[in-house]
């Protein structure tokens, strides 16, 4: 089976461009970082109803509605391999269509802007990290988030935090949740870490950066704005306003090859 490997701010994915539909066990095997190729998830390139569709699977084999970093890598793959002939096009996802624009595209590098749709606040909830309880905004971006802005937290303290698997309100988040921890908004910037459902802590989460920006703006008393979000894997720019949100950040395709599915 042909594959490629790429990442968006070090949130890494296996791209499966052929007519292969791995089952959950095969996805887990492919994403295993010791016995497989290693990745946070799988992007299966599918074509449905005349449109390219991102069939995204988490590393544990579960199906996910949307992935902001993944859709950037997916769009980069389509454009760099000539599967689309324009820089502006639409990608289908389980969370709906996402309009993308690919900038400065080569076979290995691009910057991609994604219209992420509304960052809808669904309420306030809490999570427990070890013996610590934190409060955040529920944010729906087609997938569920709990975006927690911690007062007084700075980048150094965030980097040194222990981030175990969070315990959350399963009544509020019946399908699981991505939990973001971020610093308050300062000069248009926040720092963030994230624990993704079905994966664990990752170097970045695209929808998570949008959720974190939404929460940081709300924490600052703002309904809209532009936020640079720093994550362990790099940085992205989120714009929120006009009833929608956009995410701009890098994509890298680092390898292609073949692998045998077991």
């Amino acid at each position: 089976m042909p594959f490629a490997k790429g990442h968006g701010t070090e949130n890494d994915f296996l791209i499966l461009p052929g007519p292969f539909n791995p089952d959950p066990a095969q996805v887990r095997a492919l994403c295993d970082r010791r016995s497989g190729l290693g990745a946070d998830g799988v992007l299966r390139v599918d074509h449905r109803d005349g449109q390219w569709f991102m069939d995204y699977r988490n590393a544990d084999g579960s199906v996910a509605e949307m992935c902001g970093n993944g859709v950037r890598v997916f769009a980069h793959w389509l454009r760099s391999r000539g599967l689309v002939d324009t820089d502006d096009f639409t990608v289908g996802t389980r969370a709906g269509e996402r309009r993308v624009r690919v900038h400065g595209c080569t076979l290995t590098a691009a910057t991609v802007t994604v219209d992420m749709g509304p960052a809808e606040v669904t309420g306030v909830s809490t999570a427990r990290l070890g013996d610590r309880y934190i409060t955040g905004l529920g944010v729906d971006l087609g997938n569920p988030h709990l975006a927690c802005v911690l007062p007084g937290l700075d980048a150094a303290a965030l980097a040194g935090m222990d981030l175990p698997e969070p315990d959350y309100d399963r009544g509020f988040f019946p399908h699981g949740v991505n939990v973001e921890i971020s610093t308050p908004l300062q000069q248009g910037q926040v720092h963030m870490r994230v624990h993704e459902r079905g994966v664990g802590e990752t170097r970045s989460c695209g929808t998570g950066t949008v959720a974190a920006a939404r929460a940081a703006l709300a924490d600052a008393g703002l309904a809209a704005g532009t936020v640079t979000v720093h994550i362990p894997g790099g940085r992205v720019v989120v714009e929120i306003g006009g009833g929608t949100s956009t995410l701009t950040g890098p994509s890298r395709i680092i390898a292609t090859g073949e692998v045998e599915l077991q």
Side-chain angles (χ1 to χ4, degrees), residues 4-15 43 54 67-81 89 100-114 204 233-236 247-255:
K5 185 166 183 179
H7 71 89
T9 49
E10 298 182 5
N11 191 189
D12 60 339
F13 309 97
L14 300 175
I15 305 162
L43 307 173
M54 182 181 74
C67 176
N69 290 325
V71 76
R72 293 204 316 275
V73 174
F74 189 85
H76 178 197
W77 176 263
L78 295 180
R79 186 69 180 102
S80 65
R81 269 59 187 179
F89 54 95
V100 299
R101 170 173 286 187
V102 181
H103 315 268
C105 182
T106 71
L107 287 176
T108 57
T111 299
V112 182
T113 298
V114 184
S204 178
R235 67 177 184 177
V236 296
L247 169 65
T248 301
S251 169
R252 300 289 182 267
I253 296 172
I254 61 171

Side-chain angles (χ1 to χ4, degrees), residues 46 87 133 140 145 168 184-185 227 251 256:
D46 197 4
D87 292 334
Y133 285 87
D140 185 358
H145 296 267
Y168 58 89
L185 186 68
V227 181
S251 169
T256 60

